[in-house]
């Protein structure tokens, strides 16, 4: 590892000196468009022939971005920009010699399908953030907030604005009318905004830009042109109020004797969302009793390793502007703020006596939440979130009709504050975050933290035309609670302080707090020439805990990583571009043990016919896991080699596909994996799109953990050989009647089945050979009766210990049909039908039979709801 790191440092040093001049030479002069105040107001119907547009000049001379950067595009594009006191008006002329080939694909809002134009406005002029407005040739609108200088694009933003498009004999045209109230800018005599226009010719997979940005240039928003002429603009403070009403009916299989499961439920709900412009830079978002009934169901998943599963946030209130609150401090999904903790399912289930039934809440009700967020003209990015979830009670009835309540979740307050400050001509920033979770335990819930706090600072600095960067962060956490709560935290999968061979941590059942730290530092080259590289370190101390309002999968880890890439960015007769990269990482724990070492090579090719190929090869010569035996000794995995291969067809065609294969082989075939992926996209006509994604995975693991038991004065860590097969199919249908009315269907059956055999127990957990790591049970030591395995390890005729049959077959079926109508801008009507169910089937059945039984033989739960919103705008 030291040799590899030394070589990489030498390459970086040479690259910095060799390419610095090249980066400076590639600097492109900024283009400027000067807008004027309109005299007449145009009608936004997609046509651009009105004389209202005659007061400003056309701008053109677009340059191709992909596939052949720096050349003349197949067809040119023109635009005009004018304004009045409240709106920005933009006209687009997209020339095309073959208008009959223009792709007018209808889709839902933010579908981004077909020929389209993106208008990119950096009204903050911070050179890192932009508001992006998209119009397709079919008149479908889309909006995104681009952050991180173009590295992150968030389409959850849904402002009110107006657009339309038309196809004619010269190509197609579009008009946009954007309220200044939907943008953010400061007070200046003349506004100077970053500005660019991007045109996509879908059938050719070709993009062109008004302001040229070379492919080897680091950054995107920072390299945009400029919009001038916005003089004496009066900031428009935003005020939007959106009440909603939901009517819901649930139908499900009745349970005999259960008064709470009589076969159906009916309820009416309501709430309010509001958006208030405190200044033109900063906005206050409020929600009271939010409803997320139309949100798509989470995908099926099952975790055999014991660690928690990360699911993406899908609830609109938390998705919008999530980039402002984001604080990813390490690798993977680790984050100081994970909004799905707010409104989570209750921590407890009710305690029922014989003959009692309970009506338990599915989620904690959010009494109210507020977000104060935005970015000021002088470079401050600010986000403050406050939310309160209610005491949640299970209602319980006995056989004699008695009724009582039992609390299952305490009143909880969540607070998050985030800030960043740009400086050094927007080439650098420094920021911080603070989170707090406080629970009103009221003498109850001794297993939960009473309070949890975390904080961190982050920074990023770029230089030499943003070609080089250094970034990092450092965080701390502090949790408080009863001895029971803190002991539970010490025993959790993320920590396991009871590990028998750990000398740097120990379980202390008398503690009432834990304090931990973590962080990340990375340096690298991100632009200029053909080389890219980076290296860095991540660490998480053993006592770090973020899971009250953040996400943290594992602690006690130090990761060293490095990567080097070479890019072929000039198309040839064979390919459009190629990306080849080498990666290396190593992990250690805070005791000094090296737990992992991995090397990987990957190549991505975009072929000249718009097909793509991805190939990766990897080798893992060292692999240990501290948590595998759930508090037992450190476990050694077999050495691994892996390969993955994906290829896909031209996505601009009516039908396209992606196929993939992943293969992992281990020494002594201890833990082998094969995975097959196939995705099909089909658009039979412009209004209908179909997507089918199927994945099949098969794992054979000879040492899958099952349980831990006592054998005299010893611990027995019991393992078995698992044949684990998983199958999922996700179907999506989108039918767009017009740009404001659509019908969407989502369906996913998922099954994961595990069959166990060849049971064994741990002998020498870190031995190099499998036969030394484990000891197999002989036929005379193990017997099976009534779904229980009886072990007579000492062969004295008496059962020494037992464990339950671990075989499983988890089956989940989820569907969601949503009809959406945006009857006026910002106001919507939803009609939703959801059907689904979860069951555990007989593991002896085949995967297809289990799926068929779940869908056709089992009675599923149906939900019908109507949700109406109306947005009042001032």
């Amino acid at each position: 590892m030291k040799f590899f790191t030394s070589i990489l440092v030498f390459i970086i040093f040479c690259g910095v000196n060799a390419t610095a001049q090249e980066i400076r030479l590639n600097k492109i002069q900024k283009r400027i468009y000067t807008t004027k105040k309109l005299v007449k107001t145009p009608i936004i119907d997609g046509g651009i022939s009105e004389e209202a547009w005659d007061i400003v000049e056309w701008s053109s001379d677009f340059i191709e971005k992909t596939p052949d950067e720096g050349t003349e595009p197949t067809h040119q594009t023109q635009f005009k920009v004018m304004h009045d006191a409240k709106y920005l008006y933009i006209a687009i002329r997209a020339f095309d010699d073959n208008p009959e080939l223009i792709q007018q694909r209808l889709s839902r809002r933010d579908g981004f399908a077909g020929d389209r134009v993106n208008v990119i406005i950096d009204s903050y002029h911070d050179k890192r953030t932009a508001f992006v407005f998209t119009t397709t040739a079919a008149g479908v609108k889309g909006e995104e907030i681009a952050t991180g200088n173009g590295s992150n694009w968030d389409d959850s933003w849904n402002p009110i604005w107006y657009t339309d498009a038309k196809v004619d004999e010269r190509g197609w045209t579009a008009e946009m009318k954007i309220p200044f109230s939907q943008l953010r800018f400061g007070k200046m005599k003349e506004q100077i905004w970053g500005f660019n226009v991007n045109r996509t010719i879908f059938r050719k997979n070709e993009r062109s830009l008004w302001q040229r940005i070379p492919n080897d240039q680091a950054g995107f928003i920072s390299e945009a042109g400029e919009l001038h002429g916005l003089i004496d603009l009066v900031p428009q403070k935003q005020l939007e109020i959106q009440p909603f009403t939901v009517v819901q009916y649930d139908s499900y299989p009745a349970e005999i004797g259960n008064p709470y499961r009589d076969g159906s439920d009916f309820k009416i709900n309501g709430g309010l969302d509001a958006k208030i412009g405190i200044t033109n830079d900063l906005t206050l978002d409020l929600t009271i009793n939010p409803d997320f009934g139309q949100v798509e169901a989470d995908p099926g998943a099952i975790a055999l390793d014991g660690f928690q599963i990360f699911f993406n946030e899908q609830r609109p209130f938390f998705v919008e502007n999530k980039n402002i609150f984001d604080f990813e401090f390490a690798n993977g999904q680790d984050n100081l703020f994970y909004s799905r903790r707010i409104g989570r399912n209750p921590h407890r289930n009710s305690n029922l006596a014989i003959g009692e039934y309970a009506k338990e809440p599915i989620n904690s009700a959010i009494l109210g939440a507020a977000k104060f967020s935005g970015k000021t003209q002088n470079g401050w990015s600010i986000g403050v979130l406050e939310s309160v979830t209610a005491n949640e009670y299970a209602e319980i009835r006995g056989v004699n009709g008695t009724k009582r309540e039992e609390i299952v979740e305490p009143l909880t307050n969540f607070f998050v504050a985030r800030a960043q400050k740009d400086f050094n001509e927007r080439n650098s920033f420094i920021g911080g975050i603070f989170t707090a979770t406080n629970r009103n335990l009221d003498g109850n819930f001794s297993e939960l933290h009473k309070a949890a706090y975390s904080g961190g600072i982050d920074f990023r600095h770029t230089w030499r035309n943003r070609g080089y960067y250094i970034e990092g962060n450092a965080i701390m956490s502090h949790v408080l609670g009863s001895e029971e709560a803190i002991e539970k935290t010490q025993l959790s999968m993320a920590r396991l302080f009871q590990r028998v061979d750990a000398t740097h941590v120990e379980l202390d059942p008398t503690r009432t707090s834990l304090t931990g730290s973590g962080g990340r530092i990375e340096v690298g080259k991100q632009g200029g020439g053909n080389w890219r590289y980076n290296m860095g370190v991540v660490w998480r101390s053993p006592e770090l805990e973020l899971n009250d309002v953040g996400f943290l999968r594992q602690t006690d880890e130090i990761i060293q990583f490095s990567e080097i890439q070479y890019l072929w960015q000039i198309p040839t007769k064979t390919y459009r571009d190629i990306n080849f990269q080498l990666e290396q990482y190593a992990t250690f724990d805070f005791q000094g043990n090296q737990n992992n070492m991995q090397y990987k090579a990957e190549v991505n090719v975009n072929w000249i016919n718009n097909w793509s190929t991805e190939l990766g090869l990897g080798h893992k010569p060292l692999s240990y896991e501290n948590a595998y035996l759930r508090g037992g000794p450190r476990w050694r995995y077999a050495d691994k080699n892996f390969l993955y291969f994906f290829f896909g067809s031209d996505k601009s065609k009516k039908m396209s596909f992606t196929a993939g294969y992943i293969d992992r082989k281990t020494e002594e075939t201890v833990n082998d994996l094969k995975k097959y992926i196939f995705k099909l996209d089909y658009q039979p006509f412009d209004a209908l799109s179909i997507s089918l994604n199927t994945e099949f995975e098969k794992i054979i693991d000879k040492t899958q953990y099952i349980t831990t038991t006592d054998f005299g004065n010893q611990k027995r860590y019991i393992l078995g050989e698992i044949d684990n097969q998983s199958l999922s199919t996700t179907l999506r249908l989108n039918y767009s009647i017009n740009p404001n009315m659509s019908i969407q269907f989502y369906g996913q059956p998922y099954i994961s089945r595990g069959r166990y055999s060849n049971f064994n127990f741990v002998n020498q957990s870190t031995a190099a050979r499998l036969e030394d790591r484990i000891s197999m049970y002989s036929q005379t030591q193990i017997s099976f009766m009534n779904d229980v395995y009886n072990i007579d390890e000492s062969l004295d005729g008496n059962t020494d210990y037992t464990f339950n049959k671990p075989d499983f077959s988890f089956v989940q079926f989820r569907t969601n049909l949503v009809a959406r109508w945006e009857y006026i801008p910002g106001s919507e009507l939803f009609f939703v039908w959801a059907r689904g169910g979860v069951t555990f089937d007989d593991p002896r059945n085949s995967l297809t039979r289990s799926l068929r039984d779940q869908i056709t033989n089992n009675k599923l739960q149906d939900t019908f709801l109507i949700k109406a919103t109306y947005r009042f705008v001032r």
Side-chain angles (χ1 to χ4, degrees):
M1 183 187 70
K2 291 182 179 179
F3 175 76
F4 185 94
T5 303
S6 299
I7 293 296
L8 188 61
V9 171
F10 176 75
I11 292 172
I12 292 175
F13 175 78
C14 294
V16 167
N17 288 278
T19 61
Q21 184 178 5
E22 177 185 8
I23 293 176
R24 286 194 296 269
L25 291 175
N26 281 343
K27 186 68 175 176
I28 303 298
Q29 184 175 356
K30 296 276 188 180
R31 299 187 69 181
I32 295 174
Y33 185 90
T34 303
T35 182
K36 295 180 181 179
K37 196 166 185 178
L38 60 78
V39 177
K40 294 182 179 180
T41 302
I43 298 173
I44 305 301
D45 59 2
I48 58 172
S49 59
E50 297 169 83
E51 63 177 280
W53 291 107
D54 293 343
I55 67 165
V56 287
E57 298 296 325
W58 288 108
S59 185
S60 187
D61 297 326
F62 278 53
I63 297 296
E64 193 169 314
K65 174 67 173 174
T66 58
D68 196 2
E69 198 283 316
T71 64
E72 179 81 8
T74 304
H75 304 293
Q76 266 298 339
T77 309
Q78 296 179 337
F79 70 86
K80 292 181 175 183
V81 183
M82 59 185 184
H83 70 94
D84 59 15
K86 293 187 176 182
Y87 298 96
L88 191 71
Y89 298 85
I90 302 170
I92 305 289
R93 158 59 72 184
F95 291 101
D96 198 314
D97 294 338
N98 303 105
E100 71 279 1
L101 299 180
I102 293 172
Q103 296 293 300
Q104 296 176 263
R105 298 192 180 186
L106 282 169
S107 70
R108 59 177 176 80
R109 187 171 182 168
D110 297 331
F112 305 114
D115 285 61
R116 57 192 180 271
V117 169
N118 316 96
V119 174
I120 302 158
I121 302 174
D122 177 12
S123 56
Y124 290 122
H125 209 207
D126 65 355
K127 301 181 181 180
R128 292 200 299 122
T129 310
F131 302 96
V132 184
F133 297 87
T134 300
T135 301
T136 75
V140 179
K141 67 169 65 171
E143 316 85 13
E144 297 165 285
I145 293 181
T147 57
N149 202 355
S151 61
N152 302 304
W153 297 72
D154 181 4
D155 64 4
S156 63
W157 178 53
N158 286 315
I160 293 178
W161 63 293
Y162 311 90
T163 188
D164 206 347
K166 289 182 177 180
V167 175
D168 59 24
E169 69 281 358
R170 301 174 65 193
W172 64 282
T173 60
E175 291 178 300
M176 298 180 178
K177 178 182 176 182
I178 303 170
F180 287 130
S181 62
Q182 305 299 303
L183 301 172
R184 299 290 173 264
F185 53 91
K187 294 182 179 180
M188 298 179 66
K189 176 68 175 177
E190 180 183 3
Q191 300 286 332
I192 297 178
W193 294 351
F195 187 82
N196 213 343
V197 179
N198 174 82
R199 160 105 179 265
T200 298
I201 303 176
F202 193 74
R203 67 183 183 274
K204 293 181 174 295
N205 198 18
E206 177 185 296
R207 291 175 55 212
S208 57
L209 293 173
W210 173 67
Q211 170 67 62
R212 180 190 173 194
I213 303 176
N215 288 339
D216 66 352
Q217 173 64 53
F220 184 77
I221 297 168
S222 60
E223 308 311 305
E226 292 181 351
L227 182 65
H228 291 201
L230 297 167
I231 299 172
D232 292 331
L233 283 189
V234 178
Q236 305 291 312
K237 293 184 180 180
Q238 189 176 13
L239 176 59
E240 299 177 9
I241 300 174
Q242 188 177 52
F244 68 85
T245 302
V246 178
V247 179
Q248 180 172 331
Y249 173 78
D250 296 308
S251 175
Y252 47 84
E255 295 180 13
I256 298 175
N258 187 345
Y260 298 113
R261 301 289 292 178
D262 60 2
S264 64
D265 295 318
F266 178 80
K267 62 182 179 181
I268 300 176
N269 192 20
L272 179 74
D273 295 323
K275 189 182 294 288
I276 304 169
I278 305 302
T279 68
N280 201 61
D281 299 316
L282 303 170
T283 302
L284 177 65
D285 291 270
L286 304 171
T287 185
I288 299 172
N289 190 32
D291 174 82
F292 309 113
Q294 79 278 10
V295 170
E296 191 174 280
D298 291 321
I302 188 167
L304 293 177
D305 59 5
F307 290 102
Q308 62 178 317
I309 299 173
F310 180 91
F311 290 110
N312 289 322
E313 179 62 86
Q314 300 184 75
R315 300 171 296 177
F317 175 80
F318 294 106
V319 169
E320 186 172 359
N321 287 339
K322 65 181 178 181
N323 59 285
I324 291 180
F325 296 90
D326 188 61
F327 197 103
E328 291 185 6
F329 78 93
N331 60 333
Q333 290 91 19
D334 289 351
N335 206 308
L336 269 67
F337 179 49
Y338 179 47
S339 56
R340 290 192 64 138
R341 303 295 185 200
I342 302 175
R344 56 157 291 159
N345 58 304
H347 282 86
R348 280 186 184 175
N349 294 318
S350 53
N351 294 310
L352 300 179
I354 297 176
E356 287 187 325
Y357 296 92
K359 181 181 180 181
E360 297 187 338
I362 299 174
N363 298 99
S364 305
I366 301 175
L367 297 177
K371 291 192 301 186
F372 177 70
S373 60
K375 188 161 189 176
T376 65
Q377 185 70 25
N378 60 0
W380 278 102
S381 176
I382 299 170
V384 179
L385 183 144
E386 174 80 15
S387 181
V388 178
T389 59
N391 281 321
E392 290 293 342
Y393 295 88
E395 184 182 295
I396 301 171
R397 288 187 185 178
V399 291
N400 57 0
T402 59
K403 185 185 294 186
R404 64 184 177 90
E405 286 188 335
E406 184 177 303
I407 191 168
V408 292
E409 181 72 14
L411 179 75
T412 306
N413 175 260
F414 301 92
F415 176 79
V416 182
R418 179 78 162 107
Q420 283 186 341
K421 178 65 171 69
D422 298 338
F423 62 97
N424 187 29
E425 297 182 345
R426 310 290 186 173
N427 289 315
S428 310
F429 72 78
I430 187 168
I433 190 173
F434 173 76
T435 77
T437 305
N438 290 280
R439 296 185 174 93
N440 182 15
L441 302 182
D442 196 23
N444 201 341
F445 293 96
S446 59
E447 74 274 20
L448 298 182
H449 297 146
K450 179 177 179 59
Y453 307 102
S454 68
I457 58 172
D458 60 341
F459 73 93
R460 180 178 174 89
H461 172 61
T462 62
W463 67 96
R464 288 188 177 171
N465 200 20
R466 298 182 177 86
Y468 299 88
Y469 70 95
I470 181 170
E471 64 181 19
N473 58 63
I475 68 167
M476 290 193 68
S477 69
H478 184 63
V479 294
L480 302 164
S482 66
E483 292 180 355
E484 179 186 348
I486 300 303
E487 182 179 13
K488 181 181 176 182
T489 304
Q490 294 177 76
L491 293 170
S492 66
M493 276 294 295
R495 271 157 289 277
L496 297 172
F497 282 7
Q498 75 274 27
R499 298 199 308 268
V500 296
D501 56 353
T503 60
H504 61 302
V505 294
E506 62 178 351
L507 178 63
D508 184 351
T510 66
R511 295 190 64 174
T512 56
S513 68
L514 291 174
T515 302
S517 64
R520 183 173 187 269
I521 186 75
E522 179 179 334
V523 62
K525 177 177 181 289
Q526 62 181 356
N530 300 98
W531 289 98
R532 307 285 187 273
Y533 36 75
N534 65 73
M535 61 189 307
V537 177
V538 173
W539 71 94
R540 309 178 188 88
S541 77
E543 293 192 10
L544 184 66
E545 171 61 333
L546 304 175
N547 287 319
D548 290 273
V549 73
F551 186 90
L552 177 67
R553 190 174 187 270
Q554 190 171 2
T555 66
D556 193 10
E557 191 171 45
I558 302 169
I559 304 173
Q560 170 270 323
F561 62 90
S562 56
E563 177 183 331
I564 185 166
Q565 298 181 59
Y566 189 83
L567 308 176
W568 287 265
Q569 302 179 86
I570 300 175
T572 69
K573 294 181 179 180
T574 305
Y575 62 82
R576 284 173 170 246
D577 58 79
I578 301 176
N579 181 349
F580 176 75
Q581 60 188 37
L582 297 172
E583 299 177 14
Q584 170 272 336
Y585 80 83
T587 68
F588 305 81
D589 62 26
F590 276 66
Q591 189 172 315
N593 299 310
Q594 183 174 357
N595 286 335
N596 284 286
M597 171 64 81
Q598 178 173 299
Y599 305 96
K600 188 178 80 170
E602 180 180 289
V603 60
N604 292 272
V605 183
N606 291 314
W607 303 100
I608 199 66
N609 62 355
N610 288 332
W611 285 50
S612 62
T613 302
E614 178 183 359
L615 174 65
L617 301 168
H619 175 54
K620 201 168 188 177
L622 182 70
S623 183
Y624 292 85
E625 173 62 64
N626 288 341
Y628 188 72
L629 298 179
R630 314 303 202 262
R634 183 166 170 254
W635 173 256
R636 175 170 180 162
Y637 288 106
D639 295 351
K640 297 183 179 70
N641 294 299
F642 59 89
L643 171 150
Y644 55 90
F645 177 69
F646 290 82
F647 68 98
S649 65
D650 185 352
K651 295 186 182 302
S652 68
K653 303 299 184 183
K654 291 285 187 178
M655 180 179 289
S656 64
F657 73 90
T658 300
Y661 171 68
I662 302 172
D663 190 2
R664 180 184 70 208
K665 294 187 180 298
T666 56
E667 193 175 46
E668 301 180 89
T669 64
V670 175
N671 185 350
D672 290 358
L673 172 149
K674 291 183 183 297
K675 187 171 185 177
Y676 305 88
I677 301 165
F678 183 76
K679 182 176 181 181
L680 179 69
D681 293 296
Y682 180 48
Q683 186 134 18
F685 50 93
D686 287 338
L688 177 64
S689 63
I690 302 170
S691 173
L692 182 68
N693 186 10
T694 299
E695 298 185 8
F696 174 73
E697 180 180 86
K698 181 180 176 65
I699 299 174
I700 302 294
D701 188 349
K702 296 179 180 178
T703 57
Q704 173 62 49
Y705 175 83
I706 297 174
T707 189
T708 301
T709 190
D710 292 320
F711 177 52
N713 295 325
Q714 305 177 57
K715 289 287 186 184
R716 278 288 178 255
Y717 304 99
I718 301 173
L719 315 176
E721 180 175 330
I722 186 175
D723 178 353
N724 182 201
Q725 298 183 25
S726 300
L727 174 66
S728 70
T729 297
T730 303
L731 174 66
R732 298 178 189 272
L733 304 175
N734 289 282
Y735 179 73
S736 299
I737 300 168
N738 58 51
N740 298 315
M741 186 180 296
S742 63
I743 299 173
Q744 301 157 41
F745 174 81
Y746 162 87
Q748 187 198 64
Y750 170 83
I751 179 171
S752 182
R753 185 196 66 196
R755 297 171 177 170
Y756 287 80
S757 61
N758 298 326
F759 297 100
N760 55 84
F761 62 89
V762 175
N763 187 12
Q764 300 177 40
S765 63
T766 58
R769 300 168 59 193
L770 176 63
E771 63 182 24
D772 296 325
R773 286 198 298 274
I774 63 171
S775 294
M776 302 293 298
Y777 290 114
S778 67
Q779 294 295 321
T780 55
Q781 288 177 311
I782 188 168
S783 61
F784 180 71
M785 182 179 296
N786 298 326
D787 286 339
V788 174
Y789 286 95
N790 301 281
I791 306 299
D792 178 13
E793 186 176 333
S794 56
L795 295 176
D796 60 2
N798 297 314
T799 298
D800 294 312
Y801 48 88
T802 65
F803 60 89
N804 293 326
K805 182 180 180 181
D807 292 11
F808 64 88
S809 181
F810 173 79
V811 187
Q812 175 179 287
F813 180 65
R814 292 279 188 262
T815 62
N816 190 297
L817 180 65
V818 179
R820 171 189 168 271
W821 177 29
E822 188 174 2
Y823 54 95
I824 59 174
S827 300
E828 298 172 309
L829 192 61
F830 293 94
F831 297 89
V832 180
W833 170 46
R835 163 170 270 210
V838 175
T839 189
F840 288 90
D841 198 42
D842 189 338
R844 293 173 296 181
N845 291 339
S846 67
L847 296 183
T848 54
R849 178 179 175 181
S850 293
L851 288 175
R852 185 178 66 249
D853 289 347
Q854 169 71 347
I855 297 171
T856 61
N857 296 344
N858 290 341
K859 294 182 179 180
L860 303 174
Q861 177 165 327
D862 291 285
T863 296
F864 302 88
L865 68 84
I866 300 174
K867 179 177 180 180
T869 70
Y870 186 84
R871 188 181 292 190
F872 296 90
V873 181
R874 192 200 71 175

